[in-house]
Amino acid sequence: MKINQGKLELRKAGFDLIGSTVLMDLVYGSQSTEKAFFNFKVDAKEFDIKRAYDEVKMFREMASAAESAEGIVSLNYKVAGILDGNMSPIYP
C-alpha cells in the first residue's frame, strides 16, 4: 500500500471471497468532501457465478444479467468512476 499526494494505492492485494482467490489493484483519491475517484482492477479465478450474485452486492448491481446464470467462471475486470459522500459508486 502506498499513500502519496492524497491518493491511496493498493497493488496486488490478495484474498479469498466466495470460494475464489481474488487479486486486486486499487487507486483512490478525494476530489472534495462529497466526492472521490477510484480505479479498480480485479482478477478472480474459478468462482460460482450464482454464489457471487447472491452474496456480493456490487456484483449484483453491475452484473444484473447474472441473476439466472449458473456455473464456474473467472473474471478479469477493470472499473473506474466517482464515489458519492457515502462511498457508493455514482452510476451513469
Side-chain angles (χ1 to χ4, degrees), residues 5-36:
Q5 297 181 354
K7 282 196 294 188
L8 170 70
E9 295 183 36
L10 186 61
R11 302 286 182 197
K12 297 183 182 180
F15 55 93
D16 290 330
L17 178 69
I18 60 171
S20 175
T21 299
V22 179
L23 293 175
M24 69 177 194
D25 293 338
L26 173 68
V27 176
Y28 166 86
S30 177
Q31 291 182 324
S32 72
T33 58
E34 295 297 317
K35 285 189 180 176

Side-chain angles (χ1 to χ4, degrees), residues 12-84:
K12 297 183 182 180
F15 55 93
D16 290 330
L17 178 69
I18 60 171
S20 175
T21 299
V22 179
L23 293 175
M24 69 177 194
D25 293 338
L26 173 68
V27 176
Y28 166 86
S30 177
Q31 291 182 324
S32 72
T33 58
E34 295 297 317
K35 285 189 180 176
F37 66 90
F38 70 97
N39 188 324
F40 178 68
K41 177 183 172 190
V42 62
D43 187 9
K45 303 288 186 201
E46 299 181 354
F47 64 92
D48 183 320
I49 197 165
K50 175 124 180 71
R51 183 174 175 189
Y53 185 86
D54 290 343
E55 296 180 21
V56 181
K57 180 181 177 186
M58 188 174 187
F59 188 85
R60 268 193 312 277
E61 292 173 349
M62 297 182 71
S64 58
E67 180 178 16
S68 301
E70 292 184 28
I72 304 299
V73 298
S74 293
L75 172 73
N76 187 330
Y77 190 73
K78 296 178 187 177
V79 63
I82 305 295
L83 301 170
D84 66 18

